[in-house]
Amino acid sequence: MPGKVSTRISTASRLSHKSSTATLGSRRNTTSPTVVIPEEGPESSLRTQLCQIFNDAQKSTAGHRKLVVSLRKVQESSCYEPIGPSKKGLTSFDEDDFNVEIVRCVIRIMGVKRSEGVGDRIVRFLGLFLRHASEKDAALVPEVEMNETQSFPETATTRLISHILSILLQFLASKEKTVRYRSTQLVAHIINSLDSIDDEYYHLLKMGLLKRMRDKEPMIRVQAVLGLGRLAGNEDDGEQEDDDGDDDDVGGLLEKLLDVLQNDPSAEVRRSLLLNLPLTPSTLPYLLERARDLDPATRRALYSRLLPALGDFRHLSLSMREKLLRWGLRDRDENVRKATARLYRERWIEDCAGRQQTETGNKQEAAPPNIDALLELLERVDVVNSGIEDGIASEAMKEFWDGRPDYREAVGFDDPFWDSLSPESAFMVRSFNDYCHHRGDKKHEQLVEEKMPEVTKLAFFLQRYANDLVKTLRNSYAQINGEEDVDTVEQEFIVEQLLQIAQTLDYSDEVGRRKMFSLLRETLAIAELPDEITKLVIDVLRSVCGAEVSGEREFCGVVLEAVAEVHDAIAVDEPHGDNEGESFHSARSEMSDSIPMKATKSSGMIADGSEDDKKKAIKEIMINMKCLHIAQCMLQNIEGNLQQNVHLVTMLNNLVVPAVRSHEAPIRERGLLCLGLCCLLDKARIISPSHLRSANTIVKSLADENLTLFLHCFSKGHDALQVTALHILADILTTHPSLLTAQFADANHQKQVLKIFSKGLKADHTPAVQSAATTALCKLMLTSVIQDEDLLKQIVICYFDPATRDNAGVRQALSYFLPVYCHSRRENMERMAKVAGGVMHALVDLTDELDEGEDMVGLSVVGNMLVDWTDVRKLVVQDGVSVSWDEAGKKEVKAVNCDIHLDLADGLLERVMHHGSSKEDRKALIGMLGKLYITSNSSANKLRSTTELVIKAIDSKAAGDATSRNALNKLHLALSKASGEAGKPGNSLQDAMIPIDDDGNTKFDDRDLEESALPSEDAPMKFIKVEGTDGVMEAQDTLLEELLTDDEGVL
């Protein structure tokens, strides 16, 4: 096809750029540039033809390809094959005419709003045409010329693109947001549709889009980053040019886009960048960081679109794989969790198995189940570290088995499999067993019976791997060799998985039960056994012994026998002589006065003794720690009464008490834990002295006797010991609330307990102690064990205190506790109303003491939360309250007793009128008064007293600004209305129906309040002062308003 080939060369955007190109916006002005709109000109057949094509293109995208071919024919007839005058008198048109008509249609798009779909369809059509025309023009250029110039020569389509871009660049800085949006959208679409862009426009487009990237409209920023993302993919990282000192082009384009990805407030902008930035080693960390984005749709896009398109997941680092799984599977959004599970079980397993090519083309299909690929996948996520308790590998495999039934059917565990267990295979069989038991239906129970071995066979496998582990551990102790640590870790992991499988077995088979029982009994007596395996052995042993009382007694006896055998390892190397009686007492020995002496001697041997004495003392401490750990695990698995189990009493006297008295800090702290567990099991009933003949016969529980010890540990201990003491105290008080709530409870204990919790709340320098004290106190207050108002006030202040901003544990616990505490019981809500005034006063003082740079939540927000926490309508259980629906389907709730807000109003008004209150204090307190909920169902005496206080506050001019005066007047109107309705004879709880919205909030505005507060016809005329926004007092005749009102205002 003949055509004119221009001598001007157009190069690809990824090649060198001309530095002499004029820049957009080089003149720094804030006004919108003049937009030159071509004149309409006379009608022509070319315009009619193009308008018909564009008219059809805006209707639907279904015929776009056909319309693109038609438009291409028109372009060829205008640019390459001019048509002479025909018989019908058609006039020939050249390339300029065609370009002008196309631009004329493009300009018409600029005013189309975003909500109109026709604009998007025309943009897509234009991009499709430019791509098709560019490909056709490129086919006309000889390949030899392309290879010589290493660029694309100028064609009719490149000139058309340049003409369109020159017009669109003028619209990028328009004042109208719709014009900016459509021009940016079209520019971005053209950039993404073409393979190359002329150097003349590359810099202009880049600078124009960079300006739009900072646009105030999110929809414009989205289109800007879509275009810049394509430009960033072709930009040479090492090439940085100065463009007439323009600030927007300083630094690399990619760095600017990454900054927007991290900091743009619009989730849609961040999501667009996430899906359009080039995947390079430098951008990958920033892209994966969006797994912690605030927007759920952005997080879901990462797992469902970006990561599947990333390629083989094995290129990611091990820590990044673990983080992506943990963040995704534990996301609070269900769709993100589903996308992560789908990624793990469909994409990552296929990367390990390898996808198969179909015979017809490049389409890939899922590989058949491959157990080796599954084992490799588990190795890639490091199950040795992530497969532990609370590890992410367990959750990932649960989702894997749930979504891959083909793997559930294909997996098999025969004898050769059990003979050569690896950490990955052991974890695979454990996760499969847990999943089937978790589902609990007949189908999965049958799978377990078919694929898992019986109890006896599993016991033999467990014995084999446990013996290998013990052998390795003893060899590593005999000769210190760091290379053997890896093998030990893997062997420990295998034994742990087998023990976790043993926890789920059915021990109704007596032969298998006896085999497992003897194996566990022998294993528990091994002193070198790691603590985690020891804990699992005791857990399985508890299941084997049975849940009956006799089974629990047998369990305690067996464990304590193992403790004695472990402790006997101390005396193996000790000479028999004078020191024989000074050893730490085992569970079989009797308590004597030599315990403190031995502890002191051990400390002396470590400090001043010989090398052998030091080793001996260290070994003794390790053995004693092991005995205490076994006892702790045993105590965590029993529920019986301590006093009724002779084994537990012996263990307490001969093991726990000496440990608590030990001078070795590790032994003493672990003994403290065991003593706390014993206190929980001691169910001795505390009897009141009035029920006994002698006051000296009061029965005290173990918890009551040792409460002072735990209080002392908190007062004098280090941070870790303080946290432990707080946990023990919280558990003891929850189990034995009578220690504080009983009438005959020790007042000194009550005072000390409240004191340590108060001290813990103020421990800003130790976040762990503060978090533990807050959590423990919240639990005790929710269960009504502690009902102290001072502690409640301190908790609320701690919640808003800027000092706790970095302590996420405190903030999270209080965010849950405060609304639940107030809305669960009416007594709690009344208690919160009493301390609200003191809280506001303390926070006002705290605001004045803030350092420069510190900020705190506004006092108005605090007041709103206090009012919400004391709103009686939000109580979970209310007497005399029922919910119903009217004829219109709106939810209604009957009026409730609102004495709580009246009490709150009284407390706030008394503080307002106190002579010592400051201006800021009064403003914060009065601001809460206008938000209170007052109804006629309240006590008449309280309504009267609160009204008197409001009138007194108004008369004394306690409100110093217009907002405060309006709040007082609003409260006075509400009280007047409530008092008037309370005096009506027909008023009752059943008659007062209050409409509420879907959120449970009463529909209550100032206009209804003023109308409903009007007096009756017999009442004298009153003038109520209402202050406007301009501060001018306006007098309103309420009686006249009532006469002019057609109907009464009903709340």
Side-chain angles (χ1 to χ4, degrees):
M1 180 181 295
K4 298 179 291 182
V5 179
S6 175
T7 57
R8 187 165 65 92
I9 305 300
S10 173
T11 59
S13 63
R14 60 179 177 272
L15 302 178
S16 62
H17 314 304
K18 299 177 183 178
S19 60
S20 60
T21 304
T23 60
L24 181 67
S26 57
R27 296 176 298 170
R28 298 182 178 276
N29 53 4
T30 57
T31 59
S32 175
T34 303
V35 178
V36 179
I37 301 178
E39 297 181 359
E40 290 289 333
E43 293 288 339
S44 63
S45 59
L46 176 62
R47 176 178 298 179
T48 302
Q49 199 170 5
L50 293 182
C51 289
Q52 182 62 40
I53 293 176
F54 275 85
N55 183 54
D56 294 340
Q58 73 179 355
K59 295 178 181 179
S60 174
T61 59
H64 275 190
R65 293 192 176 275
K66 184 177 180 180
L67 294 174
V68 163
V69 174
S70 301
L71 187 58
R72 173 62 182 176
K73 290 180 179 179
V74 176
Q75 184 190 30
E76 290 176 351
S77 64
S78 300
C79 303
Y80 294 104
E81 297 178 356
I83 301 177
S86 63
K87 298 180 181 180
K88 297 182 180 181
L90 294 176
T91 305
S92 62
F93 299 98
D94 57 10
E95 179 182 341
D96 292 337
D97 296 331
F98 178 80
N99 293 348
V100 168
E101 293 299 329
I102 291 292
V103 170
R104 176 181 173 274
C105 295
V106 169
I107 293 177
R108 297 304 183 272
I109 308 174
M110 296 299 102
V112 180
K113 294 184 178 181
R114 182 191 181 190
S115 58
E116 298 292 337
V118 294
D120 297 334
R121 289 192 285 270
I122 290 298
V123 169
R124 292 182 58 184
F125 170 72
L126 190 60
L128 186 62
F129 166 71
L130 294 178
R131 176 186 293 179
H132 176 73
S134 299
E135 294 173 354
K136 290 293 184 180
D137 287 347
L140 299 176
V141 180
E143 186 176 355
V144 177
E145 183 179 349
M146 293 276 296
N147 295 333
E148 291 178 355
T149 60
Q150 294 294 324
S151 60
F152 293 100
E154 186 177 274
T155 62
T157 304
T158 60
R159 290 189 290 271
L160 173 62
I161 294 173
S162 300
H163 190 34
I164 293 175
L165 293 178
S166 64
I167 297 297
L168 293 178
L169 286 171
Q170 304 177 54
F171 291 105
L172 289 178
S174 174
K175 293 182 179 180
E176 295 292 333
K177 64 179 181 180
T178 302
V179 177
R180 296 199 309 273
Y181 169 72
R182 287 300 178 186
S183 59
T184 308
Q185 180 190 26
L186 188 52
V187 167
H189 194 74
I190 291 175
I191 292 175
N192 285 281
S193 299
L194 302 179
D195 295 330
S196 63
I197 299 177
D198 197 319
D199 286 342
E200 181 180 354
Y201 289 96
Y202 177 85
H203 290 288
L204 294 175
L205 292 175
K206 176 182 175 181
M207 294 166 52
L209 292 178
L210 280 173
K211 290 180 179 294
R212 292 308 100 218
M213 190 176 66
R214 304 298 181 183
D215 198 282
K216 63 180 181 180
E217 298 294 334
M219 61 180 183
I220 300 176
R221 299 201 301 272
V222 169
Q223 300 301 324
V225 299
L226 288 177
L228 290 172
R230 176 67 186 277
L231 297 180
N234 293 330
E235 186 182 54
D236 186 6
D237 294 336
E239 181 181 358
Q240 300 293 339
E241 298 181 1
D242 296 329
D243 293 305
D244 299 337
D246 196 299
D247 294 336
D248 287 334
D249 200 38
V250 176
L253 174 59
L254 195 58
E255 286 75 8
K256 291 184 174 68
L257 292 176
L258 293 177
D259 179 70
V260 172
L261 178 65
Q262 289 182 307
N263 303 313
D264 196 282
S266 173
E268 189 177 0
V269 175
R270 301 194 302 271
R271 185 162 58 252
S272 300
L273 263 180
L274 175 69
L275 300 176
N276 289 276
L277 275 178
L279 296 174
T280 62
S282 60
T283 61
L284 188 59
Y286 296 93
L287 296 174
L288 299 181
E289 188 183 38
R290 291 303 94 201
R292 306 299 286 168
D293 196 278
L294 295 177
D295 179 54
T298 303
R299 302 195 300 271
R300 184 171 64 251
L302 172 72
Y303 286 100
S304 61
R305 299 180 61 181
L306 179 66
L307 288 177
L310 188 60
D312 198 331
F313 81 99
R314 289 173 288 189
H315 295 301
L316 298 174
S317 64
L318 180 60
S319 61
M320 184 53 68
R321 296 174 212 155
E322 192 272 336
K323 287 179 181 178
L324 288 173
L325 281 179
R326 185 174 72 250
W327 292 341
L329 292 177
R330 295 178 180 175
D331 197 278
R332 58 182 174 270
D333 187 79
E334 183 180 2
N335 293 323
V336 177
R337 296 195 298 270
K338 290 181 178 179
T340 309
R342 193 178 306 111
L343 172 73
Y344 180 79
R345 65 175 177 247
E346 294 179 4
R347 300 291 304 199
W348 287 13
I349 186 63
E350 296 300 327
D351 289 339
C352 296
R355 298 194 183 121
Q356 297 180 345
Q357 297 281 343
T358 58
E359 297 179 358
T360 57
N362 295 328
K363 187 177 178 181
Q364 297 174 338
E365 61 181 9
N370 189 336
I371 304 302
D372 293 334
L374 179 56
L375 295 177
E376 181 186 354
L377 176 62
L378 293 176
E379 182 182 1
R380 297 291 182 179
V381 297
D382 190 20
V383 294
V384 176
N385 294 315
S386 62
I388 59 177
E389 187 177 2
D390 296 333
I392 196 59
S394 299
E395 300 177 29
M397 287 306 297
K398 177 183 176 183
E399 297 293 341
F400 179 86
W401 295 120
D402 188 55
R404 296 302 298 264
D406 53 341
Y407 273 86
R408 293 201 306 263
E409 298 295 336
V411 72
F413 311 120
D414 50 7
D415 290 344
F417 173 85
W418 293 100
D419 292 336
S420 58
L421 282 179
S422 64
E424 292 75 24
S425 59
F427 180 78
M428 178 185 67
V429 65
R430 197 266 287 183
S431 62
F432 176 80
N433 180 74
D434 290 347
Y435 171 76
C436 293
H437 281 284
H438 178 72
R439 293 300 298 266
D441 52 13
K442 294 182 179 179
K443 178 181 178 181
H444 292 86
E445 289 178 358
Q446 186 177 2
L447 277 177
V448 172
E449 294 178 359
E450 293 176 357
K451 300 180 182 294
M452 298 299 294
E454 61 272 12
V455 177
T456 305
K457 185 178 290 187
L458 183 65
F460 281 109
F461 294 140
L462 178 58
Q463 184 178 17
R464 172 187 170 185
Y465 287 101
N467 291 337
D468 294 341
L469 172 61
V470 173
K471 181 179 179 181
T472 305
L473 288 172
R474 288 174 177 171
N475 292 336
S476 64
Y477 291 153
Q479 51 181 3
I480 301 176
N481 189 353
E483 296 179 357
E484 297 185 2
D485 292 342
V486 177
D487 295 336
T488 302
V489 172
E490 293 183 353
Q491 288 178 341
E492 290 178 12
F493 184 79
I494 294 173
V495 175
E496 289 174 7
Q497 305 308 303
L498 294 177
L499 288 171
Q500 291 181 357
I501 294 174
Q503 284 184 288
T504 62
L505 298 181
D506 182 11
Y507 293 100
S508 57
D509 179 17
E510 186 62 23
V511 176
R513 192 193 76 85
R514 289 182 178 180
K515 175 60 180 176
M516 185 65 73
F517 180 84
S518 61
L519 171 63
L520 297 174
R521 168 64 182 82
E522 295 173 0
T523 306
L524 188 58
I526 300 175
E528 295 85 2
L529 206 63
D531 287 349
E532 184 61 30
I533 295 181
T534 301
K535 180 179 181 300
L536 291 173
V537 168
I538 295 176
D539 293 341
V540 178
L541 184 60
R542 183 68 186 91
S543 301
V544 172
C545 291
E548 302 84 4
V549 177
S550 59
E552 183 176 284
R553 188 175 293 108
E554 180 188 16
F555 167 72
C556 295
V558 171
V559 173
L560 292 180
E561 288 177 3
V563 170
E565 293 184 16
V566 170
H567 186 268
D568 289 342
I570 298 178
V572 172
D573 298 329
E574 289 185 354
H576 296 280
D578 297 336
N579 295 333
E580 184 178 1
E582 294 178 346
S583 63
F584 189 87
H585 283 204
S586 68
R588 291 179 175 177
S589 62
E590 293 295 329
M591 186 174 173
S592 67
D593 295 336
S594 63
I595 301 301
M597 296 173 57
K598 177 59 186 172
T600 306
K601 187 172 182 179
S602 297
S603 301
M605 284 193 298
I606 295 177
D608 303 326
S610 62
E611 195 68 26
D612 294 338
D613 292 338
K614 290 180 180 180
K615 292 182 179 180
K616 181 180 177 181
I618 292 174
K619 180 180 179 181
E620 181 179 344
I621 292 176
M622 297 300 296
I623 293 295
N624 292 329
M625 291 287 291
K626 180 68 176 180
C627 295
L628 290 170
H629 176 71
I630 297 175
Q632 177 185 344
C633 296
M634 178 194 68
L635 292 171
Q636 292 172 346
N637 281 276
I638 56 179
E639 300 176 356
N641 194 332
L642 177 72
Q643 302 296 338
Q644 297 178 1
N645 193 324
V646 64
H647 301 291
L648 296 181
V649 175
T650 303
M651 183 267 304
L652 173 64
N653 295 330
N654 298 334
L655 182 64
V656 177
V657 174
V660 174
R661 295 177 178 177
S662 174
H663 290 268
E664 303 296 341
I667 296 177
R668 186 169 59 249
E669 293 175 12
R670 185 158 291 183
L672 196 69
L673 282 174
C674 295
L675 182 60
L677 292 171
C678 291
C679 292
L680 300 181
L681 296 174
D682 186 15
K683 298 179 174 59
R685 188 164 55 96
I686 302 178
I687 305 175
S688 173
S690 60
H691 295 85
L692 298 174
R693 297 180 179 178
S694 174
N696 296 327
T697 58
I698 300 178
V699 179
K700 285 189 175 182
S701 65
L702 187 63
D704 196 5
E705 292 177 351
N706 292 280
L707 190 61
T708 305
L709 172 63
F710 300 124
L711 296 173
H712 178 77
C713 291
F714 177 84
S715 302
K716 303 298 181 181
H718 51 81
D719 295 348
L721 186 58
Q722 286 181 335
V723 173
T724 302
L726 285 171
H727 291 164
I728 294 174
L729 285 171
D731 293 340
I732 288 176
L733 294 176
T734 303
T735 307
H736 306 291
S738 57
L739 292 174
L740 294 182
T741 59
Q743 296 180 357
F744 51 91
D746 191 345
N748 187 32
H749 283 174
Q750 294 178 350
K751 183 178 179 180
Q752 290 181 355
V753 168
L754 299 181
K755 183 179 179 180
I756 67 164
F757 279 114
S758 177
K759 182 179 178 181
L761 289 175
K762 297 177 182 178
D764 298 333
H765 57 286
T766 52
V769 176
Q770 188 180 34
S771 178
T774 303
T775 305
L777 184 57
C778 290
K779 294 178 180 179
L780 294 174
M781 296 190 76
L782 280 176
T783 54
S784 299
V785 177
I786 294 180
Q787 301 177 357
D788 187 70
E789 295 180 2
D790 292 336
L791 281 179
L792 178 61
K793 175 183 174 181
Q794 193 173 343
I795 281 180
V796 180
I797 296 174
C798 182
Y799 181 55
F800 296 106
D801 192 349
T804 62
R805 178 179 11 182
D806 297 330
N807 197 333
V810 172
R811 288 292 180 94
Q812 185 175 8
L814 294 181
S815 296
Y816 172 81
F817 163 75
L818 288 171
V820 172
Y821 174 78
C822 295
H823 298 157
S824 58
R825 295 173 180 265
R826 188 180 185 90
E827 296 79 7
N828 297 343
M829 190 174 286
E830 292 174 350
R831 202 172 291 116
M832 178 63 74
K834 292 180 182 179
V835 304
V839 168
M840 293 297 294
H841 176 72
L843 292 178
V844 169
D845 295 341
L846 189 61
T847 304
D848 297 337
E849 298 174 359
L850 291 178
D851 297 334
E852 185 177 356
E854 289 185 345
D855 55 349
M856 190 180 71
V857 64
L859 293 177
S860 60
V861 177
V862 177
N864 292 339
M865 297 180 74
L866 289 173
V867 171
D868 178 77
W869 293 338
T870 55
D871 191 347
V872 72
R873 294 169 295 175
K874 295 189 176 182
L875 279 174
V876 177
V877 179
Q878 294 179 345
D879 297 333
V881 175
S882 62
V883 177
S884 60
W885 284 263
D886 59 6
E887 296 179 357
K890 296 182 179 179
K891 187 168 62 174
E892 296 180 346
V893 61
K894 294 181 179 180
V896 294
N897 190 328
C898 294
D899 289 348
I900 296 179
H901 269 184
L902 290 177
D903 295 336
L904 177 60
D906 292 345
L908 297 178
L909 289 170
E910 290 176 358
R911 282 188 170 270
V912 166
M913 292 181 292
H914 191 269
H915 295 291
S917 60
S918 62
K919 180 180 178 181
E920 291 78 9
D921 200 355
R922 291 195 299 269
K923 183 178 180 181
L925 296 175
I926 294 176
M928 298 172 58
L929 296 175
K931 304 177 178 66
L932 301 181
Y933 176 70
I934 309 297
T935 64
S936 59
N937 197 43
S938 303
S939 172
N941 294 332
K942 290 188 177 182
L943 286 172
R944 190 181 307 108
S945 62
T946 306
T947 304
E948 293 175 357
L949 287 175
V950 173
I951 295 175
K952 184 177 179 181
I954 295 176
D955 294 341
S956 63
K957 297 182 180 180
D961 57 301
T963 304
S964 300
R965 287 191 289 270
N966 286 338
L968 284 176
N969 291 331
K970 183 177 180 180
L971 177 61
H972 185 266
L973 289 172
L975 291 169
S976 301
K977 176 195 177 301
S979 300
E981 289 187 354
K984 293 181 181 180
N987 183 68
S988 64
L989 180 65
Q990 288 75 16
D991 296 331
M993 299 297 293
I994 306 166
I996 62 176
D997 57 17
D998 296 335
D999 297 331
N1001 299 323
T1002 302
K1003 297 179 179 179
F1004 186 77
D1005 54 16
D1006 295 343
R1007 183 179 57 187
D1008 296 337
L1009 185 62
E1010 293 178 6
E1011 292 177 355
S1012 59
L1014 300 177
S1016 60
E1017 296 180 356
D1018 298 334
M1021 183 180 299
K1022 295 182 181 180
F1023 290 87
I1024 300 178
K1025 295 181 180 180
V1026 178
E1027 183 159 341
T1029 55
D1030 54 353
V1032 180
M1033 303 298 294
E1034 299 176 357
Q1036 298 182 353
D1037 188 345
T1038 57
L1039 179 58
L1040 179 61
E1041 288 184 358
E1042 181 183 13
L1043 296 175
L1044 294 177
T1045 304
D1046 295 335
D1047 53 354
E1048 293 185 3
V1050 178
L1051 183 62

